[in-house]
Amino acid sequence: MKRLTLLAILAAPPAMAQNMVDCVLEPASRLTVTSSVDGVIREIPVRRGDMVEEGDLLYRLDSEIEELQLELSRTRAESDVDVRAQQTRLELRQREYERVEELSNRNVAASAALDDASIELALTELALEQSEFDRKLAAIEVRQAEALLERRSVRSPVSGLVVAVEATVGEYAAEQAAIMEIIETDPVHVEVFAPGELFGHIGVGDLYQVDLNPPLQGQFEGEVVIVDRFLDAASGTFGIQLSVSNPESKVPTGARCRIDFGPRG
């Protein structure tokens, strides 16, 4: 009996090995940057391997027509010639109406002349309102032209690493064509499939040490952000995701790692 007990103990995996789980370091997101409009690529200021910040220019399409349209719209919006002309006409019509009204009160001018002067005054007031309205429309056209021009320049939606550039300057970019690929490196996600024995012992917010597999070396603290509430029937495992802060991009994505989910002191 003692021999069988000893063999059983030797055959059982150590508690440390049971709790040591393999994992993979993955980027927080992987983005394929596409062209939202057609056009010839004028500029690509980034290359594969470059780090980019959110808002950095990734590429710019030819935009000569959009730039001219914006210049035209701004010229229209900034001009107040028509408004000032209508204001001058209104002042003139107002004086004419007052003069005809005075003559009509003295029975010197016919009532028809007063009616005509009143109509001219009203029409001039409407013309001034139309000029002011047209200027407001011109201001809206400026914003529209700015938006169309901005669409010719694509900026990074995230901070991360450029892992592929699929286009070159001078190439025609069709709508929805892939231009480049970017991975978000801060934070880094740690994907784990833990054995069912650990189910219920790991919770969101728990902190664990993540160790890189050889030949890489490094240790990082990860916070549990997702714990699947179901087990995979085939493998008897459940999914866990941890988040590792990586502001200086020192944590390598794509690397394999290990996590000890054993009891913590």
Side-chain angles (χ1 to χ4, degrees):
M1 290 294 295
K2 292 183 179 180
R3 177 180 176 82
L4 292 175
T5 303
L6 179 60
L7 289 175
I9 294 174
L10 292 174
M16 180 69 72
Q18 288 180 338
N19 296 321
M20 187 68 73
V21 181
D22 291 333
C23 55
V24 179
L25 297 170
E26 297 285 356
S29 64
R30 185 180 295 269
L31 307 175
T32 298
V33 180
T34 61
S35 179
S36 59
V37 294
D38 297 344
V40 176
I41 300 176
R42 177 196 292 182
E43 178 185 4
I44 304 179
V46 298
R47 297 181 298 175
R48 181 168 64 91
D50 286 350
M51 296 296 300
V52 295
E53 297 294 329
E54 181 179 352
D56 284 354
L57 178 67
L58 299 179
Y59 71 92
R60 179 179 288 117
L61 299 178
D62 181 73
S63 57
E64 183 177 1
I65 295 177
E66 288 75 14
E67 290 171 359
L68 290 173
Q69 183 61 49
L70 177 57
E71 183 179 355
L72 178 62
S73 299
R74 281 177 174 167
T75 300
R76 288 175 177 170
E78 293 170 358
S79 175
D80 63 347
V81 173
D82 191 53
V83 172
R84 288 189 289 110
Q86 295 300 338
Q87 288 174 338
T88 302
R89 292 191 185 97
L90 181 60
E91 292 173 359
L92 177 61
R93 298 304 183 194
Q94 184 68 41
R95 289 197 297 268
E96 289 179 350
Y97 175 81
E98 292 173 355
R99 184 170 63 254
V100 173
E101 183 181 35
E102 182 180 356
L103 294 175
S104 177
N105 291 336
R106 292 164 51 188
N107 295 322
V108 176
S111 59
L114 182 60
D115 291 340
D116 291 342
S118 176
I119 291 173
E120 290 296 330
L121 178 60
L123 291 174
T124 306
E125 289 174 343
L126 290 175
L128 176 58
E129 290 181 12
Q130 183 64 52
S131 295
E132 293 172 341
F133 179 73
D134 290 343
R135 197 173 185 199
K136 290 180 181 178
L137 288 181
I140 296 174
E141 289 176 353
V142 169
R143 296 200 296 272
Q144 182 184 44
E146 289 174 341
L148 291 174
L149 179 60
E150 182 61 25
R151 291 185 67 187
R152 311 298 286 184
S153 299
V154 175
R155 302 182 182 279
S156 179
V158 297
S159 297
L161 174 69
V162 179
V163 295
V165 177
E166 308 292 345
T168 59
V169 174
E171 181 178 341
Y172 183 82
E175 187 174 351
Q176 298 304 317
I179 305 298
M180 65 182 64
E181 188 174 2
I182 299 174
I183 60 172
E184 187 179 4
T185 57
D186 185 25
V188 169
H189 288 169
V190 184
E191 301 294 341
V192 185
F193 289 99
E197 291 81 359
L198 296 177
F199 191 81
H201 297 282
I202 301 172
V204 172
D206 291 347
L207 301 176
Y208 291 96
Q209 180 176 293
V210 181
D211 296 319
L212 293 178
N213 280 1
L216 298 178
Q217 295 183 350
Q219 296 177 340
F220 313 98
E221 185 178 66
E223 179 182 357
V224 177
V225 292
I226 297 176
V227 178
D228 291 344
R229 305 311 301 169
F230 60 91
L231 289 171
D232 179 73
S235 63
T237 61
F238 65 102
I240 303 172
Q241 184 183 92
L242 295 86
S243 179
V244 175
S245 179
N246 190 28
E248 299 179 1
S249 300
K250 292 182 178 180
V251 182
T253 60
R256 305 195 72 83
C257 54
R258 293 171 298 168
I259 302 177
D260 180 11
F261 285 111
R264 293 165 293 171

